[in-house]
Amino acid sequence: MDPEEQLEKLLEVFYDEKLDPKKEAAKQILGLATQQQNLEYLISHEQLLSTLSRTLRDEHKKSTELTLYLLCVFYILSNYLEFHQILSEHQIGDITMKIIESQIQRFDLRYAELMEKQGQPQQLQELRKLNLMIAKQEKLFYVGFTILMNMAEDPIIENKMRKRKIITFLLRMLERNNFYLLIVTLLFLKKLSIVNECKLQMVEENCIRKLKRFFSADNNVLLQLSLGLIKNLCFDSEARSQIEQNGFIPDIVKLLKIPNYRFVSIVLLYLLTLDDKLRLTFGFTECMTLVVKLMLHFPEPIIGKELIALATNLSTSSRNVDHITEQEFQQIVQRALTNGDTLLFRFIKGIIENSTNPEIQTCAKSFVRHFMKLLVTQGKEEDLKFEIIGIVSVIQLNENWVKLLTEPFIEFLHNNLALGMIDDDIVLETMMLVSQIASNSKAAEILFNNNILNALSQVFTEKVDDDEFIVQFLYCLHQFLFHKIGIPLILTQDDILLQMIQQLNDKNQKVKQMSQEVLDILREYDQELCEKIKETKFCEYNQLWVEHINEQEMMLQEGGDMAFEDEYGGNELDPKMWDSDND
């Protein structure tokens, strides 16, 4: 029979009140739709989609089988983007949402009935009915959610679905056991999680807790999809907190051992380490040990950005860094020196700065000359220079600095304190290095004799409005003055002294504190400076009173004394004004 004639006869059946003929007709139409050559005719037929959508809307509560056949027809059409507009015109998305909501309510009702009959003879029979209904529903849910996911390619339709509680419905599906339904559910949730409003709703409705089951299940597909969904949710701080509370971190760390999950696990762990509190949790896992092994065996000379970013975040916590052995640290440094890996040097700085293992500091000292040689000879690679300066500044060298302050290195310090020619970040990092060197009195004297303090003063003068530079200069200066070095030089620089005195009233507490500490040393050597400091502090502590006096002086200068004369008839007070009225 010709498909057109067959279709016309099938459509006539849908005007009959009996369900069985409709089921058979829907089944045959589905058969036509599975053949791609018929799709163009089916979609252009004037009555087909209207009839099918009307039947689906009116009779979906009467027969699950009929509903499934009709949804499968629309499922096939929804796989083609060019048909989405036609499906929207026939309100297929709206009808599908109503069907899903109705089926969920039906399940809740049947489950409540089962709970009421618990312990009764009818319980087994009710359980069989429930399981049969679940099996039918899961097929229907799979088709329905796939239709909605396909139509959600349009952001407007996707937003309408969100308002119609699509996320709540999807989260209910995570409780089901049908493999294919779980796949489409996780895919749909992952797609929606890109939208901020959807992501927040998922977090509020405890989506993360419901994903825990897939980490213990032996199913690679579901676990991979769950990791992708969690990764999207991880951009929210509350989601990261829920991941930690539900014990996901140890499970994700274990996945680093499995190549198929390694990359997504690294990205996910990196996002989790954005929170300072969560980094402490990693100290109770083998995360740092595994990350170090992955870095040491990385096939490329430059370690991947995701892996090194995770390692750098972990290195800010002593509990994590203490998992690194001296041998591993040595191998890391040698790899960085061989390959010139800038980000690996940043990781090395974190290890040295936060490790409580004295062997790490000892090992770092053995590489100091390599670092300094690289600093002097590496050329114009600003990022690499910045990281190595940071490493040298956190190594506790103390008296060893005296031997290391060679002429090329001192020239390097001068060159990197030249504002305008060098990036500000490098100048600031160099100032921190100078502070570290000046903590030793002999090394501070060498720096002073080579005019490093003059260079620092010049930086302070040019960056007087930058609090970060101010604090670092004052700390450097304090290191010199503590050893009684450079005091006469600073006392002759009136601009710097005046600025420090003014900073005693600065809003930045760190600037105020460091200015106070530096001036406390200088005031012992200059009585005039001491008086200026006293005057400034007096004005600070009595600010309201000083402002009131200044206002009075302004009034007198503007003729306020004339008003006084007018009121009392002159500048001299009448002695009788104090006499009692009774006298």
Side-chain angles (χ1 to χ4, degrees):
M1 184 184 296
D2 186 87
E4 296 184 16
E5 295 179 7
Q6 182 184 2
L7 186 59
E8 294 297 334
K9 290 184 178 181
L10 291 174
L11 287 176
E12 292 177 3
V13 176
F14 287 98
Y15 294 95
D16 194 349
E17 293 184 0
K18 296 180 182 180
L19 284 176
D20 289 339
K22 292 181 182 179
K23 293 179 187 178
E24 185 61 31
K27 185 177 180 180
Q28 292 186 36
I29 292 174
L30 176 60
L32 291 173
T34 56
Q35 301 174 28
Q36 192 172 8
Q37 65 271 18
N38 296 329
L39 288 179
E40 187 175 353
Y41 171 70
L42 292 176
I43 203 72
S44 61
H45 194 281
E46 293 181 1
Q47 298 179 356
L48 176 65
L49 296 183
S50 299
T51 303
L52 296 184
S53 61
R54 175 185 54 78
T55 305
L56 190 61
R57 183 188 303 107
D58 296 341
E59 303 189 21
H60 68 85
K61 293 183 180 180
K62 297 178 182 179
S63 171
T64 303
E65 187 178 356
L66 175 61
T67 302
L68 184 58
Y69 285 141
L70 294 175
L71 281 177
C72 284
V73 174
F74 294 118
Y75 163 77
I76 293 171
L77 297 176
S78 70
N79 288 315
Y80 298 89
L81 189 62
E82 54 267 32
F83 296 156
H84 285 187
Q85 180 61 36
I86 300 174
L87 294 177
S88 297
E89 290 173 0
H90 289 84
Q91 299 181 338
I92 301 304
D94 175 66
I95 297 170
T96 306
M97 287 286 290
K98 288 179 179 178
I99 292 171
I100 290 173
E101 185 174 11
S102 174
Q103 290 293 330
I104 290 174
Q105 291 173 352
R106 186 181 171 196
F107 168 81
D108 292 340
L109 183 62
R110 184 63 62 87
Y111 184 78
E113 291 175 356
L114 177 65
M115 292 295 102
E116 289 176 0
K117 295 179 180 179
Q118 196 167 10
Q120 299 180 12
Q122 302 94 333
Q123 182 183 359
L124 185 59
Q125 183 180 358
E126 289 295 326
L127 181 60
R128 288 174 182 168
K129 289 181 180 179
L130 180 63
N131 287 333
L132 182 62
M133 185 186 72
I134 288 173
K136 291 181 179 180
Q137 278 190 340
E138 287 178 345
K139 294 178 183 179
L140 189 146
F141 284 142
Y142 169 78
V143 176
F145 280 117
T146 305
I147 293 172
L148 294 175
M149 182 172 67
N150 291 341
M151 295 185 68
E153 292 295 325
D154 184 344
I156 298 175
I157 295 177
E158 181 183 84
N159 189 47
K160 289 180 179 179
M161 291 180 187
R162 179 182 64 81
K163 294 178 180 178
R164 293 276 298 275
K165 303 193 294 185
I166 184 67
I167 292 173
T168 302
F169 298 155
L170 285 167
L171 294 180
R172 288 291 302 271
M173 296 303 106
L174 293 177
E175 302 165 4
R176 303 280 178 140
N177 295 317
N178 185 280
F179 174 67
Y180 298 103
L181 174 58
L182 289 172
I183 286 179
V184 73
T185 300
L186 290 170
L187 282 172
F188 203 174
L189 285 170
K190 183 180 177 183
K191 180 182 184 302
L192 292 171
S193 64
I194 299 172
V195 181
N196 188 55
E197 292 82 359
C198 297
K199 178 180 65 179
L200 294 175
Q201 187 178 345
M202 290 179 199
V203 174
E204 289 175 3
E205 297 189 21
N206 294 315
C207 171
I208 291 170
R209 179 175 55 81
K210 294 183 178 182
L211 297 174
K212 182 71 174 177
R213 59 183 293 216
F214 302 119
F215 281 78
S216 56
D218 188 19
N219 192 296
N220 297 341
V221 177
L222 296 179
L223 179 54
Q224 194 79 33
L225 290 172
S226 299
L227 288 170
L229 174 56
I230 293 174
K231 182 186 73 174
N232 289 351
L233 296 176
C234 257
F235 289 93
D236 181 74
S237 59
E238 176 60 28
R240 295 195 291 269
S241 178
Q242 288 185 19
I243 289 171
E244 192 269 338
Q245 291 168 7
N246 286 282
F248 277 86
I249 292 178
D251 293 332
I252 300 171
V253 169
K254 290 177 184 177
L255 296 177
L256 290 173
K257 301 176 183 178
I258 306 174
N260 289 342
Y261 303 122
R262 188 167 291 155
F263 180 76
V264 67
S265 299
I266 288 172
V267 174
L268 186 49
L269 292 171
Y270 163 73
L271 292 171
L272 291 171
T273 55
L274 294 175
D275 287 351
D276 294 338
K277 293 180 180 179
L278 297 188
R279 291 175 195 168
L280 299 175
T281 305
F282 285 86
F284 297 102
T285 69
E286 55 182 341
C287 186
M288 181 58 92
T289 303
L290 293 173
V291 167
V292 169
K293 288 181 180 179
L294 290 173
M295 288 195 296
L296 292 176
H297 294 91
F298 200 82
E300 302 295 330
I302 305 300
I303 295 173
K305 292 182 179 180
E306 295 83 6
L307 181 58
I308 196 64
L310 169 60
T312 303
N313 283 357
L314 290 173
S315 69
T316 59
S317 169
S318 299
R319 189 176 289 171
N320 290 311
V321 169
D322 287 342
H323 286 278
I324 301 174
T325 64
E326 181 186 3
Q327 182 181 3
E328 288 173 333
F329 177 73
Q330 190 172 2
Q331 292 174 341
I332 291 169
V333 176
Q334 288 173 343
R335 181 183 175 106
L337 291 171
T338 302
N339 300 319
D341 191 338
T342 301
L343 295 178
L344 188 55
F345 279 112
R346 182 177 300 179
F347 176 58
I348 292 169
K349 178 187 175 183
I351 297 173
I352 300 171
E353 192 171 19
N354 297 296
S355 177
T356 60
N357 183 359
E359 294 178 354
I360 296 295
Q361 273 287 342
T362 304
C363 183
K365 289 177 183 178
S366 67
F367 286 100
V368 166
R369 292 192 181 275
H370 294 84
F371 293 138
M372 296 180 69
K373 181 180 178 181
L374 197 59
L375 273 180
V376 175
T377 61
Q378 58 84 34
K380 296 183 179 180
E381 296 180 33
E382 300 291 331
D383 293 339
L384 182 59
K385 183 196 295 185
F386 176 82
E387 301 300 342
I388 298 175
I389 293 173
I391 290 173
V392 177
S393 66
V394 296
I395 300 176
Q396 303 297 324
L397 293 169
N398 302 323
E399 66 279 357
N400 293 323
W401 274 118
V402 177
K403 299 177 183 178
L404 295 171
L405 290 176
T406 60
E407 185 176 343
F409 185 68
I410 291 175
E411 183 181 355
F412 166 81
L413 293 178
H414 271 289
N415 292 337
N416 284 278
L417 289 172
L419 282 169
M421 301 177 64
I422 300 294
D423 188 74
D424 283 359
D425 289 337
I426 292 180
V427 175
L428 198 60
E429 200 73 16
T430 305
M431 293 173 73
M432 295 170 71
L433 175 58
V434 171
S435 299
Q436 174 66 15
I437 299 171
S439 61
N440 178 267
S441 59
K442 294 181 180 178
E445 190 171 353
I446 294 173
L447 292 176
F448 178 75
N449 292 335
N450 284 275
N451 298 318
I452 292 295
L453 188 54
N454 287 331
L456 291 171
S457 300
Q458 183 64 31
V459 172
F460 176 75
T461 303
E462 295 184 29
K463 286 289 185 179
V464 73
D465 296 326
D466 191 319
D467 285 356
E468 202 169 1
F469 275 91
I470 292 172
V471 171
Q472 199 53 53
F473 168 76
L474 292 172
Y475 185 71
C476 287
L477 182 57
H478 186 272
Q479 295 288 72
F480 283 97
L481 300 182
F482 181 78
H483 301 299
K484 296 180 171 51
I485 297 172
I487 293 175
L489 173 66
I490 296 300
L491 288 175
T492 60
Q493 300 191 24
D494 294 336
D495 292 343
I496 292 178
L497 291 175
L498 178 61
Q499 185 63 34
M500 285 192 292
I501 292 172
Q502 291 175 350
Q503 287 166 359
L504 291 174
N505 299 326
D506 200 279
K507 294 179 180 179
N508 187 320
Q509 290 300 315
K510 194 63 179 177
V511 171
K512 186 176 180 179
Q513 178 188 347
M514 287 306 305
S515 299
Q516 179 68 62
E517 292 180 11
V518 170
L519 290 171
D520 283 346
I521 297 175
L522 293 173
R523 68 192 298 177
E524 299 178 9
Y525 300 89
D526 190 318
Q527 186 60 35
E528 184 179 349
L529 176 64
C530 186
E531 293 300 323
K532 288 181 180 179
I533 295 171
K534 284 182 180 180
E535 182 181 348
T536 302
K537 287 187 174 182
F538 176 84
C539 292
E540 179 187 4
Y541 293 137
N542 300 279
Q543 185 177 0
L544 292 176
W545 183 82
V546 171
E547 289 177 357
H548 179 69
I549 293 299
N550 290 336
E551 288 177 4
Q552 292 294 324
E553 291 179 354
M554 289 288 292
M555 288 176 63
L556 289 173
Q557 292 174 2
E558 293 173 1
D561 53 336
M562 295 300 294
F564 187 83
E565 289 181 17
D566 292 342
E567 184 175 354
Y568 295 102
N571 286 329
E572 294 183 2
L573 295 178
D574 183 1
K576 294 182 179 181
M577 67 180 292
W578 304 110
D579 294 342
S580 172
D581 293 339
N582 297 325
D583 292 344

